[in-house]
Amino acid sequence: MFKKLVLATTLLSFVGADDYQDWLKSQNQEYNTYKKTMDEEFSDMLKKDWEAFKSMYNPSPYKKPKPTVVPKIKKEIKIPKKEIVASPKIKAKPVLKQIIKKPVVKTKPKIIKNFKVITFDFYSNPITIQYDKKTYKKVKSINKQKISDFWEDISKTNYKKLIKQIDTKTKELNLNDWAKYQFINQLGDAIYKDKNTANLFTWFILVKMNYDTKVGYNKNKIYLLSTIKHNLYQVSFFTLSKKRYYILTPNGKAGKLGKIYTYAGDYPKANKKLSFEIYKDIKFYNNIKQRDLSFKFNGKSYSVNTQYSKDLVDFYKTFPQSDYNVYFSTKNSTPLSNSILTKLSPLVKGKSEIEAVNLLLRFTQTSFKYKTDQKQFDYEKVMFPEETIFYPYSDCEDRSIMFSYLVKNLLNLDVVGVKYKDHLATAVAFSSSVSGDGFRYKGTKYTISDPTYINANAGMAMPQYKNSKFEIISLR
């Protein structure tokens, strides 16, 4: 692009404006011809290079089922005074983030020539999109010829203006890749009223946005496949050209499929891997709910009023189980942070690090009822903090994710995940020496802090895991 700009500037200095415009027009025509040829070649490839591939399946990352009952220490154990005195005081105070809701102004959008207008609801956000009238062409029968024809037809439409609108809307809502996929798929549903054609539409748009996605089919159903930045569990996948392609479905639950037909070729420049990571606060602010959580610490009772986005909880329901880093490193919602961090901040302020960590441990250990995912959902599900607040029960990984979120944001201390063969805990890097169970990792001492072991303080591992091997989950 920079070379073209330099060339254009050089040309403009030697020739007149009219000549420059003619040159620019020829460059655009050349590029459009290249794009057209690329789409035609890809369409031709789709007509022939399809093979049957057998799906594979990743089970839960745990080697053994998680404990159905967790141990409990009957009475809280007092922290040694020397540790309290040596431990630095907590000064950090969370800053409230203002949720800015733009007033809804009902104005008729300027209709793009030869475009249709469609509206749909995306997690309580009203969406209006315009698309080329020629985009609509429902696929009635499924085979490689029909799929190739769909690509050929839609590639001839004015899809660039549609993609620009999609890009604008998804940026406004801070959508991550998975939410972007959901958005495009729901748009496809709204346009076509047909799941198979919506999958083809989603495939085309994602490929044009440079995502490494494919489609496959068996019998009368079309599937969307994509490479993913990290591992997914309990989701079917296929290995094509040494790359793993996972099946994407709107509910995130693509079980064992057997064989499907797909192609091994790639669309030029479509090499981005889809990600479930969330680095920005997704703006689902229109359906906020509340829940009061109670706990005791050092003989005192506390009540914490929390807020969460029900729309965000509904969105998280669609998540297939991912690598733990996705959950530990997520940018959580502003409504959640504004409530839970604001309410807990005065409780830890002025306390020593060890006291503050133990208070947050007691909050996560006793404010929520324990039940394994298999008993609550009948499948393995890792929860984000909003979900831990919403659902009646949670287990070890959910509490570890909640606890690490609180420690990082309220105490500014480093945390790592500690994964055993059937349990997940956390460990905290204190500024001063803390007695009890711990380990050194990358030159830093970490103290076991288990948010599932009821009434346990930092430095107390569950008895059955004291001498067990574990894996470190280093958080970003």
Side-chain angles (χ1 to χ4, degrees):
M1 181 60 74
F2 177 73
K3 287 181 179 178
K4 284 186 178 180
L5 184 61
V6 172
L7 179 60
T9 307
T10 306
L11 276 170
L12 193 57
S13 64
F14 284 100
V15 301
D18 291 340
D19 291 332
Y20 169 71
Q21 288 300 324
D22 289 340
W23 175 83
L24 194 61
K25 187 177 179 180
S26 70
Q27 289 294 304
N28 289 333
Q29 287 174 343
E30 186 180 321
Y31 178 73
N32 289 333
T33 301
Y34 163 73
K35 292 286 286 184
K36 184 181 178 183
T37 303
M38 195 162 59
D39 283 322
E40 287 172 350
E41 288 177 354
F42 186 68
S43 179
D44 288 341
M45 183 274 292
L46 292 173
K47 288 182 174 72
K48 48 192 176 185
D49 295 338
W50 291 70
E51 297 177 54
F53 291 87
K54 188 177 180 181
S55 70
M56 290 174 275
Y57 188 78
N58 254 4
S60 165
Y62 286 104
K63 294 179 182 178
K64 287 178 63 179
K66 285 175 280 189
T68 55
V69 179
V70 294
K72 178 179 180 179
I73 297 170
K74 289 183 179 180
K75 288 185 178 181
E76 289 182 319
I77 298 170
K78 288 188 177 181
I79 311 160
K81 266 192 176 181
K82 61 178 182 179
E83 288 189 4
I84 296 175
V85 172
S87 184
K89 302 294 182 185
I90 298 298
K91 298 177 183 178
K93 185 178 179 181
V95 179
L96 279 173
K97 295 178 183 177
Q98 188 177 0
I99 296 175
I100 301 172
K101 286 189 177 181
K102 295 179 181 179
V104 179
V105 181
K106 292 185 178 181
T107 56
K108 286 187 177 181
K110 185 180 178 182
I111 306 298
I112 305 170
K113 189 178 179 182
N114 296 321
F115 271 51
K116 282 186 177 181
V117 177
I118 194 154
T119 59
F120 65 100
D121 185 84
F122 186 69
Y123 294 103
S124 300
N125 291 282
I127 304 296
T128 300
I129 294 283
Q130 297 184 53
Y131 66 96
D132 192 330
K133 290 177 181 178
K134 292 182 288 184
T135 299
Y136 181 83
K137 197 169 184 181
K138 191 185 292 187
V139 174
K140 294 181 180 178
S141 57
I142 307 302
N143 55 54
K144 60 185 181 182
Q145 181 66 46
K146 295 293 183 183
I147 293 172
S148 173
D149 290 345
F150 178 88
W151 179 279
E152 194 170 326
D153 290 339
I154 198 170
S155 65
K156 292 174 183 175
T157 66
N158 192 349
Y159 61 84
K160 289 181 183 178
K161 287 186 177 179
L162 171 61
I163 290 176
K164 188 176 180 180
Q165 294 173 78
I166 292 170
D167 197 47
T168 299
K169 294 289 184 183
T170 55
K171 283 179 179 175
E172 283 175 2
L173 295 172
N174 280 351
L175 302 187
N176 73 332
D177 285 351
W178 179 244
K180 191 185 294 184
Y181 153 75
Q182 294 278 352
F183 183 96
I184 297 166
N185 194 262
Q186 287 189 32
L187 173 60
D189 267 342
I191 293 172
Y192 295 101
K193 306 289 192 297
D194 176 73
K195 300 296 181 185
N196 281 333
T197 316
N199 268 343
L200 288 176
F201 171 82
T202 306
W203 163 60
F204 176 82
I205 298 297
L206 286 174
V207 167
K208 289 295 183 179
M209 295 176 90
N210 294 328
Y211 287 97
D212 185 4
T213 57
K214 298 180 186 294
V215 286
Y217 68 92
N218 62 11
K219 296 181 181 178
N220 296 313
K221 194 166 183 180
I222 285 178
Y223 297 95
L224 184 63
L225 301 83
S226 179
T227 54
I228 306 291
K229 270 188 177 181
H230 41 77
N231 292 314
L232 299 183
Y233 300 90
Q234 303 170 94
V235 175
S236 286
F237 65 88
F238 298 81
T239 302
L240 310 171
S241 304
K242 297 182 180 180
K243 292 188 290 185
R244 181 176 289 190
Y245 287 84
Y246 288 94
I247 295 288
L248 302 185
T249 56
N251 66 4
K253 296 172 179 62
K256 296 176 181 178
L257 297 178
K259 289 183 179 180
I260 71 168
Y261 288 90
T262 187
Y263 57 93
D266 296 315
Y267 188 81
K269 295 185 180 180
N271 52 21
K272 283 167 58 178
K273 291 183 177 181
L274 203 77
S275 173
F276 287 73
E277 295 162 317
I278 301 172
Y279 294 124
K280 292 182 179 179
D281 170 22
I282 295 177
K283 295 180 180 179
F284 291 169
Y285 297 156
N286 295 328
N287 190 7
I288 305 301
K289 303 295 182 183
Q290 298 188 37
R291 181 182 174 187
D292 289 325
L293 298 169
S294 300
F295 71 104
K296 290 182 179 180
F297 178 67
N298 282 350
K300 290 184 180 181
S301 296
Y302 300 94
S303 181
V304 178
N305 176 262
T306 59
Q307 293 185 340
Y308 61 91
S309 165
K310 180 58 170 60
D311 289 319
L312 202 52
V313 169
D314 290 339
F315 167 63
Y316 287 149
K317 280 182 187 177
T318 71
F319 260 65
Q321 187 179 349
S322 308
D323 282 340
Y324 288 117
N325 247 318
V326 171
Y327 305 88
F328 277 111
S329 304
T330 282
K331 176 69 174 176
N332 288 289
S333 74
T334 296
L336 175 73
S337 298
N338 279 357
S339 59
I340 197 168
L341 297 183
T342 303
K343 294 293 183 181
L344 287 172
S345 179
L347 307 187
V348 298
K349 188 180 179 183
K351 284 185 168 56
S352 65
E353 285 181 358
I354 184 68
E355 288 177 302
V357 165
N358 285 340
L359 183 142
L360 296 181
L361 278 172
R362 211 70 75 245
F363 171 74
T364 48
Q365 290 162 355
T366 61
S367 293
F368 311 101
K369 294 180 180 179
Y370 182 88
K371 188 178 280 189
T372 63
D373 295 325
Q374 289 298 329
K375 288 200 170 185
Q376 182 170 199
F377 302 108
D378 200 30
Y379 64 91
E380 193 64 34
K381 176 178 174 56
V382 184
M383 293 190 207
F384 293 91
E386 285 87 354
E387 294 179 290
T388 300
I389 292 170
F390 170 76
Y391 289 105
Y393 306 101
S394 57
D395 64 13
C396 58
E397 55 211 5
D398 314 319
R399 296 168 186 225
S400 294
I401 291 160
M402 170 67 85
F403 176 71
S404 70
Y405 159 68
L406 297 176
V407 170
K408 286 186 294 183
N409 285 279
L410 288 169
L411 312 183
N412 199 29
L413 296 176
D414 189 25
V415 191
V416 295
V418 180
K419 183 179 174 295
Y420 302 96
K421 60 186 176 182
D422 60 348
H423 178 57
L424 186 66
T426 48
V428 177
F430 288 94
S431 302
S432 58
S433 180
V434 174
S435 60
D437 301 307
F439 55 88
R440 295 196 77 81
Y441 176 63
K442 292 185 177 179
T444 301
K445 184 187 175 184
Y446 288 85
T447 302
I448 295 290
S449 305
D450 195 329
T452 306
Y453 187 11
I454 299 172
N455 289 332
N457 290 331
M460 300 173 67
M462 283 190 192
Q464 64 266 46
Y465 300 111
K466 274 186 176 286
N467 298 310
S468 297
K469 292 181 179 179
F470 56 82
E471 173 190 337
I472 300 294
I473 301 171
S474 182
L475 312 187
R476 282 187 292 275

